[in-house]
Every structure is written in structure tokens, then in C-alpha cells.
Amino acid sequence: MVEADQSSVDSIIEQAQARINQREGAYILEGIFDINIYIYEDRIQVYVSYNNPEAVINQET
């Protein structure tokens, strides 16, 4: 369980909302979330997947 003060959900929602308001797509990588937002004339697609920060750190060493 992720504590509320450790959650990145509020930040992700703010970033996503700003990009959607600007009619721009986005790639957001924050905490355990990997998010892609695609803006089309008639729809918005949002893909959310799991990001394992520990695996990324291990790949860098």
C-alpha cells in the first residue's frame, strides 16, 4: 500500500490535465506509473502501465 503523502497520483493528474487542456499528447513517468496520452480530433487515449524504478536503477549500473 502506498501512503497518501508518498503517492504521485495528484502530480500525475495535474500534469495530464495541463497537457490535455493544451491539446497536447504527453509521456509521464513518475513513481511506479508510466503514462502515455494521445490526443486525436475525436478522442483522447490514455495508457497506464507499471514502471519498476528498481529495474531501471539496476540497468543503469
Side-chain angles (χ1 to χ4, degrees):
M1 184 168 151
V2 176
E3 297 295 325
D5 61 335
Q6 296 176 342
S7 175
S8 54
V9 173
D10 288 339
S11 174
I12 292 168
I13 290 172
E14 287 175 13
Q15 292 177 61
Q17 187 64 53
R19 297 303 286 267
I20 290 169
N21 287 346
Q22 295 172 1
R23 300 296 295 169
E24 295 179 1
Y27 173 71
I28 302 170
L29 176 61
E30 187 154 339
I32 61 170
F33 297 101
D34 185 358
I35 300 160
N36 286 285
I37 301 172
Y38 300 95
I39 308 287
Y40 300 96
E41 286 186 29
D42 61 342
R43 67 187 184 283
I44 298 171
Q45 290 181 323
V46 179
Y47 295 92
V48 179
S49 58
Y50 173 71
N51 171 53
N52 184 348
E54 195 171 297
V56 172
I57 291 169
N58 291 338
Q59 289 177 356
E60 293 177 353
T61 58

